């Protein structure tokens, strides 16, 4: 999700000793490798599709057995009053890093990632769009992951953050982005052994066919960010043609939705249109990038839109 600033620190603090104790109690089998197999990166799944050992961002999100064994972590998440998507403990080994990247996938168009550091040292630095912060243990942060960012663990100990994805309520966004009060007035969330809060988790958000209004929204956002990596007459011409292709695609998709609806009928017609746009875009997109993060326009089109237009029957079973 695009934010006005690279980083926001939320005015709330947590019982870090309790969180650390719950993390320490997890068995070794709770931890698995990073989905992208990044060296020195591992994770324990807390909320996942079906509560299973999966990193999918699609499906009914449920607490895993590991989160069930962490009652204070559940209180922390429930205390924000938002609906949570995929959420994990993310561990970064001593000297390891998360390479620079921007999160361009469809999942991130409407979601932000909350970070709550549990184990960290001052040598752990989070970099985003030229700015750098140390997120201290027991704090809460969000950042603009559409911008390019990376993390470096320059310490000799593991860094472990609780990271949780949400679209956020209006109250959450006011709490996160308004000018914070003095730190002495920040909310503190204590451990309550008698509390049993309700944890809100995402249902499966996908339609069999993406509605035309959402396609319009995604494409309009892409077109607004479109620019040339190098300003030449040829690049400007290709950008103009690429932009027209996207506009035409939205018009044709809207007509198919008007004819067939979004329940999955005539799926093959939608697939053919998506494939035609994919093929037509490829020769036009060279040297076209996103203004904010320099991500390739074709890659963004593919990952943020085309891969998610049509959901196969078996994916919804």
């Amino acid at each position: 999700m695009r934010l006005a600033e690279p980083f926001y620190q939320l005015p709330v603090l947590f019982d870090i000793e309790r969180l650390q104790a719950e993390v320490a109690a997890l068995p070794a089998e709770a931890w698995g490798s990073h989905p992208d197999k990044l060296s020195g990166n591992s994770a324990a799944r807390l909320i996942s599709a079906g509560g299973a050992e999966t990193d999918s961002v699609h499906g009914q999100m449920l607490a895993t057995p590991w989160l069930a064994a962490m009652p204070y972590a559940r209180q922390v998440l429930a205390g924000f009053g938002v609906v949570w998507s995929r959420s994990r403990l993310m561990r970064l080994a001593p000297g390891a890093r998360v390479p620079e990247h921007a999160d361009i996938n469809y999942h991130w168009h409407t979601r932000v990632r909350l970070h709550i550091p549990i184990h960290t040292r001052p040598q752990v630095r989070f970099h985003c769009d030229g700015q750098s912060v140390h997120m201290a243990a027991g704090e809460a942060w969000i950042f603009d992951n559409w911008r390019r960012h990376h993390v470096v663990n320059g310490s000799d100990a593991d860094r472990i953050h609780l990271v949780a994805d949400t679209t956020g309520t209006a109250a959450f966004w006011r709490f996160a982005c308004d000018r914070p009060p003095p730190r002495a007035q920040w909310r503190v969330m204590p451990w309550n052994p008698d509390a049993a809060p309700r944890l809100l988790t995402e249902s499966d958000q996908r339609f069999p066919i993406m509605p035309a209004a959402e396609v319009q929204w995604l494409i309009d956002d892409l077109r607004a960010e479109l620019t040339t990596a190098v300003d030449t007459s040829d690049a400007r011409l290709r950008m103009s043609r690429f932009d027209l292709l996207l506009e035409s695609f939205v018009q044709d998709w809207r007509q198919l939705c008007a004819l067939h609806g979004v329940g999955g009928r005539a799926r093959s017609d939608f697939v053919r249109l998506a494939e035609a746009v994919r093929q037509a875009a490829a020769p036009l997109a060279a040297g076209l990038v996103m203004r904010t993060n320099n991500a390739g326009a074709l890659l963004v089109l593919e990952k943020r839109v085309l891969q998610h237009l049509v959901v196969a029957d078996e994916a919804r079973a």
Side-chain angles (χ1 to χ4, degrees), residues 256-268:
L256 283 180
C257 288
L259 180 61
H260 300 301
V262 297
R265 187 160 58 93
R267 180 179 277 105
S268 60

Side-chain angles (χ1 to χ4, degrees), residues 1-8 100-104 126-131 143-150 225 292-294:
M1 182 179 289
R2 215 162 300 167
L3 304 179
E5 300 291 338
F7 294 104
Y8 291 88
E100 186 178 64
H101 66 287
D103 294 313
I104 62 175
F126 203 117
H127 303 260
C128 182
D129 198 28
Q131 296 188 26
F143 72 101
D144 184 348
N145 60 351
W146 175 251
R147 310 185 198 211
R148 299 197 69 79
H149 58 277
H150 68 282
E225 277 273 297
T292 301
N293 56 28
N294 210 39

Side-chain angles (χ1 to χ4, degrees), residues 51 143 243 316:
F143 72 101
D243 183 76
R316 298 186 60 83

Side-chain angles (χ1 to χ4, degrees), residues 40-298:
N41 288 253
S42 55
R45 301 172 179 97
L46 301 182
I47 296 174
S48 66
E53 291 297 319
T54 174
D55 294 303
S56 174
V57 294
H58 300 300
Q60 174 64 57
M61 295 291 157
L62 296 172
T64 67
W66 313 126
L67 183 56
M70 303 177 67
Y72 181 55
R74 286 179 61 93
Q75 288 179 31
V76 166
L77 291 171
F80 284 93
V82 301
V83 178
W84 295 107
S85 183
R86 183 180 63 173
S87 304
R88 296 168 289 182
L89 296 172
M90 301 294 285
R91 184 169 63 185
L92 193 60
R97 60 190 293 126
V98 177
E100 186 178 64
H101 66 287
D103 294 313
I104 62 175
N105 289 294
Y106 172 81
H107 174 79
W108 292 113
H109 192 69
T110 56
R111 295 174 183 84
V112 70
R113 172 164 287 178
L114 176 78
H115 278 251
I116 298 176
I118 298 175
H119 286 285
T120 189
R121 300 280 181 87
Q123 298 87 351
V124 177
R125 304 295 297 182
F126 203 117
H127 303 260
C128 182
D129 198 28
Q131 296 188 26
S132 170
V133 300
H134 169 66
M135 301 176 179
E139 297 179 344
W141 293 75
I142 60 174
F143 72 101
D144 184 348
N145 60 351
W146 175 251
R147 310 185 198 211
R148 299 197 69 79
H149 58 277
H150 68 282
V151 186
V152 179
N153 182 0
S155 77
D156 58 1
D158 285 339
R159 183 228 71 174
I160 300 176
H161 283 195
L162 190 164
V163 297
D165 303 344
T166 183
T167 58
T169 60
F172 172 86
W173 286 109
R174 287 192 297 270
F175 183 67
C177 299
D178 284 356
R179 183 183 297 275
R183 192 177 177 103
Q185 299 175 21
W186 287 11
R187 171 186 169 198
V188 178
M189 185 180 292
W191 158 238
N192 181 355
D194 298 319
R198 181 187 175 202
L199 188 66
L200 305 176
T201 57
E202 277 192 11
S203 62
D204 193 335
Q205 300 296 296
R206 295 171 297 172
F207 288 90
I209 304 296
M210 187 182 288
E214 184 173 4
V215 174
Q216 175 96 57
W217 179 43
L218 292 169
I219 293 295
D220 284 352
D221 184 76
L222 192 162
R223 293 171 68 196
E225 277 273 297
L226 192 63
T227 190
T228 59
V230 180
D231 187 22
T232 65
S233 58
D234 177 66
R236 289 195 298 272
L237 178 59
R238 281 186 288 102
M239 187 171 78
S240 176
R241 290 175 175 172
F242 190 85
D243 183 76
L244 180 59
L245 174 68
L246 297 181
E247 180 182 18
S248 300
F249 164 61
V250 171
Q251 293 166 342
D252 290 343
W253 191 268
R254 186 183 299 116
Q255 281 290 281
L256 283 180
C257 288
L259 180 61
H260 300 301
V262 297
R265 187 160 58 93
R267 180 179 277 105
S268 60
D269 289 353
F270 291 93
V271 171
R272 276 193 295 272
L273 176 56
E275 184 57 32
V277 170
R278 182 181 285 111
Q279 292 181 14
L284 297 175
L288 303 185
V289 297
M290 298 294 98
R291 184 173 290 103
T292 301
N293 56 28
N294 210 39
L298 186 61

Side-chain angles (χ1 to χ4, degrees), residues 14-24 72 118-119 137-138:
F14 304 99
D15 183 341
I16 191 58
E17 292 183 356
R18 177 69 198 188
L19 281 173
Q20 290 175 346
E22 291 188 349
V23 169
Y72 181 55
I118 298 175
H119 286 285

